[in-house]
Amino acid sequence: SGNVTIEAEGMQRLTVVNELGQVVYDAEMNDSTTILNMSQFGVGVYLIRIYTENGIGAKRVSVIR
Protein backbone atom coordinates (compact mmCIF):
# COMPACT_ATOMS: atom_id res chain seq x y z
CA SER A 1 0.00 0.00 0.00
CA GLY A 2 3.03 2.29 0.32
CA ASN A 3 2.40 3.05 3.99
CA VAL A 4 5.04 2.67 6.69
CA THR A 5 3.96 2.62 10.34
CA ILE A 6 6.48 4.23 12.65
CA GLU A 7 6.30 3.70 16.40
CA ALA A 8 8.66 5.36 18.87
CA GLU A 9 7.98 6.41 22.42
CA GLY A 10 8.39 10.17 22.87
CA MET A 11 8.67 10.84 19.12
CA GLN A 12 9.20 14.56 18.53
CA ARG A 13 10.26 14.88 14.89
CA LEU A 14 10.44 12.76 11.76
CA THR A 15 12.62 13.43 8.73
CA VAL A 16 13.08 11.52 5.48
CA VAL A 17 16.36 11.96 3.59
CA ASN A 18 16.96 10.78 0.01
CA GLU A 19 20.10 9.14 -1.44
CA LEU A 20 21.62 12.57 -2.15
CA GLY A 21 21.28 13.64 1.49
CA GLN A 22 18.40 16.03 0.76
CA VAL A 23 15.57 16.28 3.29
CA VAL A 24 12.40 15.42 1.37
CA TYR A 25 10.05 15.27 4.38
CA ASP A 26 10.22 16.92 7.80
CA ALA A 27 7.46 17.10 10.39
CA GLU A 28 7.04 17.58 14.12
CA MET A 29 5.29 14.72 15.88
CA ASN A 30 3.16 14.73 19.02
CA ASP A 31 2.30 11.04 19.08
CA SER A 32 4.17 7.78 19.55
CA THR A 33 2.76 6.30 16.31
CA THR A 34 2.45 7.73 12.81
CA ILE A 35 1.75 6.36 9.34
CA LEU A 36 3.97 7.70 6.56
CA ASN A 37 2.79 7.33 2.96
CA MET A 38 5.96 6.48 1.03
CA SER A 39 4.18 6.56 -2.35
CA GLN A 40 4.68 10.35 -2.36
CA PHE A 41 8.41 9.76 -2.93
CA GLY A 42 10.13 8.51 -6.08
CA VAL A 43 11.82 5.14 -6.48
CA GLY A 44 14.96 4.86 -4.37
CA VAL A 45 16.40 4.31 -0.91
CA TYR A 46 15.48 6.70 1.89
CA LEU A 47 16.71 7.18 5.43
CA ILE A 48 13.99 7.84 7.99
CA ARG A 49 15.30 9.67 11.06
CA ILE A 50 13.20 9.47 14.20
CA TYR A 51 13.96 12.09 16.84
CA THR A 52 12.84 11.25 20.38
CA GLU A 53 13.48 12.68 23.81
CA ASN A 54 16.07 9.90 24.27
CA GLY A 55 18.01 10.38 21.02
CA ILE A 56 17.84 9.75 17.29
CA GLY A 57 17.07 6.49 15.51
CA ALA A 58 17.34 5.78 11.79
CA LYS A 59 15.98 3.16 9.39
CA ARG A 60 16.47 2.61 5.67
CA VAL A 61 13.40 2.17 3.48
CA SER A 62 13.35 1.28 -0.21
CA VAL A 63 10.61 2.53 -2.53
CA ILE A 64 10.05 0.08 -5.39
CA ARG A 65 7.34 0.24 -8.03
Side-chain angles (χ1 to χ4, degrees), residues 14-18 21-26 49:
L14 186 70
T15 60
V16 179
V17 180
N18 67 13
Q22 300 166 323
V23 175
V24 294
Y25 180 84
D26 183 38
R49 289 189 190 134

PDB file of all heavy atoms in Angstrom, residues 14-18 21-26 49:
ATOM      1  N   LEU A  14      10.200  13.810  12.734  1.00  0.00           N
ATOM      2  CA  LEU A  14      10.440  12.761  11.758  1.00  0.00           C
ATOM      3  C   LEU A  14      10.966  13.407  10.487  1.00  0.00           C
ATOM      4  O   LEU A  14      10.368  14.354   9.985  1.00  0.00           O
ATOM      5  CB  LEU A  14       9.128  12.031  11.478  1.00  0.00           C
ATOM      6  CG  LEU A  14       9.175  10.804  10.592  1.00  0.00           C
ATOM      7  CD1 LEU A  14       9.886   9.682  11.333  1.00  0.00           C
ATOM      8  CD2 LEU A  14       7.779  10.367  10.237  1.00  0.00           C
ATOM      9  N   THR A  15      12.106  12.925   9.992  1.00  0.00           N
ATOM     10  CA  THR A  15      12.625  13.434   8.727  1.00  0.00           C
ATOM     11  C   THR A  15      12.924  12.261   7.802  1.00  0.00           C
ATOM     12  O   THR A  15      13.291  11.178   8.254  1.00  0.00           O
ATOM     13  CB  THR A  15      13.908  14.280   8.893  1.00  0.00           C
ATOM     14  OG1 THR A  15      14.915  13.483   9.482  1.00  0.00           O
ATOM     15  CG2 THR A  15      13.671  15.508   9.729  1.00  0.00           C
ATOM     16  N   VAL A  16      12.754  12.507   6.502  1.00  0.00           N
ATOM     17  CA  VAL A  16      13.081  11.520   5.481  1.00  0.00           C
ATOM     18  C   VAL A  16      14.126  12.158   4.573  1.00  0.00           C
ATOM     19  O   VAL A  16      13.928  13.269   4.075  1.00  0.00           O
ATOM     20  CB  VAL A  16      11.838  11.102   4.670  1.00  0.00           C
ATOM     21  CG1 VAL A  16      12.216  10.099   3.594  1.00  0.00           C
ATOM     22  CG2 VAL A  16      10.765  10.521   5.585  1.00  0.00           C
ATOM     23  N   VAL A  17      15.245  11.444   4.383  1.00  0.00           N
ATOM     24  CA  VAL A  17      16.359  11.956   3.591  1.00  0.00           C
ATOM     25  C   VAL A  17      16.570  11.025   2.398  1.00  0.00           C
ATOM     26  O   VAL A  17      16.575   9.801   2.551  1.00  0.00           O
ATOM     27  CB  VAL A  17      17.645  11.998   4.460  1.00  0.00           C
ATOM     28  CG1 VAL A  17      18.822  12.515   3.661  1.00  0.00           C
ATOM     29  CG2 VAL A  17      17.418  12.846   5.699  1.00  0.00           C
ATOM     30  N   ASN A  18      16.750  11.601   1.202  1.00  0.00           N
ATOM     31  CA  ASN A  18      16.958  10.781   0.007  1.00  0.00           C
ATOM     32  C   ASN A  18      18.421  10.365  -0.132  1.00  0.00           C
ATOM     33  O   ASN A  18      19.255  10.701   0.702  1.00  0.00           O
ATOM     34  CB  ASN A  18      16.441  11.489  -1.253  1.00  0.00           C
ATOM     35  CG  ASN A  18      17.232  12.726  -1.621  1.00  0.00           C
ATOM     36  OD1 ASN A  18      18.313  12.988  -1.117  1.00  0.00           O
ATOM     37  ND2 ASN A  18      16.664  13.510  -2.522  1.00  0.00           N
ATOM     38  N   GLY A  21      21.151  12.946   0.219  1.00  0.00           N
ATOM     39  CA  GLY A  21      21.278  13.643   1.485  1.00  0.00           C
ATOM     40  C   GLY A  21      20.315  14.809   1.640  1.00  0.00           C
ATOM     41  O   GLY A  21      20.410  15.568   2.595  1.00  0.00           O
ATOM     42  N   GLN A  22      19.378  14.948   0.704  1.00  0.00           N
ATOM     43  CA  GLN A  22      18.401  16.035   0.759  1.00  0.00           C
ATOM     44  C   GLN A  22      17.208  15.626   1.622  1.00  0.00           C
ATOM     45  O   GLN A  22      16.695  14.513   1.500  1.00  0.00           O
ATOM     46  CB  GLN A  22      17.901  16.379  -0.645  1.00  0.00           C
ATOM     47  CG  GLN A  22      18.996  16.819  -1.577  1.00  0.00           C
ATOM     48  CD  GLN A  22      18.544  16.826  -3.029  1.00  0.00           C
ATOM     49  OE1 GLN A  22      17.789  15.961  -3.453  1.00  0.00           O
ATOM     50  NE2 GLN A  22      19.011  17.817  -3.780  1.00  0.00           N
ATOM     51  N   VAL A  23      16.758  16.538   2.473  1.00  0.00           N
ATOM     52  CA  VAL A  23      15.573  16.284   3.290  1.00  0.00           C
ATOM     53  C   VAL A  23      14.344  16.461   2.404  1.00  0.00           C
ATOM     54  O   VAL A  23      14.111  17.536   1.855  1.00  0.00           O
ATOM     55  CB  VAL A  23      15.513  17.240   4.503  1.00  0.00           C
ATOM     56  CG1 VAL A  23      14.215  17.039   5.270  1.00  0.00           C
ATOM     57  CG2 VAL A  23      16.715  17.008   5.418  1.00  0.00           C
ATOM     58  N   VAL A  24      13.581  15.374   2.225  1.00  0.00           N
ATOM     59  CA  VAL A  24      12.397  15.417   1.369  1.00  0.00           C
ATOM     60  C   VAL A  24      11.104  15.446   2.184  1.00  0.00           C
ATOM     61  O   VAL A  24      10.029  15.676   1.633  1.00  0.00           O
ATOM     62  CB  VAL A  24      12.369  14.239   0.370  1.00  0.00           C
ATOM     63  CG1 VAL A  24      13.519  14.356  -0.624  1.00  0.00           C
ATOM     64  CG2 VAL A  24      12.430  12.900   1.086  1.00  0.00           C
ATOM     65  N   TYR A  25      11.216  15.214   3.502  1.00  0.00           N
ATOM     66  CA  TYR A  25      10.053  15.270   4.384  1.00  0.00           C
ATOM     67  C   TYR A  25      10.550  15.612   5.777  1.00  0.00           C
ATOM     68  O   TYR A  25      11.549  15.065   6.231  1.00  0.00           O
ATOM     69  CB  TYR A  25       9.325  13.927   4.404  1.00  0.00           C
ATOM     70  CG  TYR A  25       8.107  13.888   5.296  1.00  0.00           C
ATOM     71  CD1 TYR A  25       6.870  14.345   4.850  1.00  0.00           C
ATOM     72  CD2 TYR A  25       8.189  13.400   6.595  1.00  0.00           C
ATOM     73  CE1 TYR A  25       5.754  14.310   5.671  1.00  0.00           C
ATOM     74  CE2 TYR A  25       7.078  13.364   7.420  1.00  0.00           C
ATOM     75  CZ  TYR A  25       5.867  13.823   6.950  1.00  0.00           C
ATOM     76  OH  TYR A  25       4.771  13.795   7.763  1.00  0.00           O
ATOM     77  N   ASP A  26       9.855  16.518   6.443  1.00  0.00           N
ATOM     78  CA  ASP A  26      10.221  16.918   7.802  1.00  0.00           C
ATOM     79  C   ASP A  26       8.959  17.357   8.520  1.00  0.00           C
ATOM     80  O   ASP A  26       8.235  18.220   8.014  1.00  0.00           O
ATOM     81  CB  ASP A  26      11.236  18.057   7.756  1.00  0.00           C
ATOM     82  CG  ASP A  26      11.718  18.473   9.133  1.00  0.00           C
ATOM     83  OD1 ASP A  26      11.904  17.590   9.983  1.00  0.00           O
ATOM     84  OD2 ASP A  26      11.900  19.680   9.351  1.00  0.00           O
ATOM     85  N   ARG A  49      14.736   9.322   9.751  1.00  0.00           N
ATOM     86  CA  ARG A  49      15.304   9.669  11.056  1.00  0.00           C
ATOM     87  C   ARG A  49      14.167   9.961  12.010  1.00  0.00           C
ATOM     88  O   ARG A  49      13.286  10.771  11.717  1.00  0.00           O
ATOM     89  CB  ARG A  49      16.201  10.894  10.948  1.00  0.00           C
ATOM     90  CG  ARG A  49      17.477  10.634  10.247  1.00  0.00           C
ATOM     91  CD  ARG A  49      18.408  11.821  10.369  1.00  0.00           C
ATOM     92  NE  ARG A  49      19.548  11.655   9.499  1.00  0.00           N
ATOM     93  CZ  ARG A  49      20.025  12.602   8.716  1.00  0.00           C
ATOM     94  NH1 ARG A  49      19.489  13.799   8.707  1.00  0.00           N
ATOM     95  NH2 ARG A  49      21.067  12.360   7.946  1.00  0.00           N
TER      96      ARG A  49
END
